[in-house]
Amino acid sequence: MAKKTKNLGGKILFFILGMLVMLALDMIFQFNNSVEKGINREINKAQQKIEEALK
């Protein structure tokens, strides 16, 4: 009986660790996406200013 509870505890531990890894990856990709959007927004602003200066 002790072996079954140890096995169950290990499964729960690996499940929790897997969830934490998935959370960390989600946060990293969300941060990367927001940085990319910010850079694109700044590039568009600069492009509009250059276009208006050339008119």
Side-chain angles (χ1 to χ4, degrees):
M1 188 69 181
K3 189 169 186 165
K4 284 187 177 183
T5 57
K6 183 178 179 184
N7 192 13
L8 180 64
K11 287 181 180 179
I12 292 172
L13 178 65
F14 280 117
F15 176 76
I16 291 172
L17 286 175
M19 293 293 284
L20 289 174
V21 168
M22 292 298 288
L23 177 65
L25 287 173
D26 185 45
M27 290 171 62
I28 289 168
F29 286 117
Q30 183 67 31
F31 174 74
N32 188 23
N33 192 20
S34 66
V35 168
E36 183 181 358
K37 284 182 181 178
I39 290 172
N40 285 337
R41 195 174 299 130
E42 292 299 319
I43 289 172
N44 288 337
K45 285 181 187 177
Q47 183 180 6
Q48 287 176 354
K49 287 181 182 180
I50 291 170
E51 288 175 355
E52 292 204 6
L54 293 176
K55 285 184 180 179

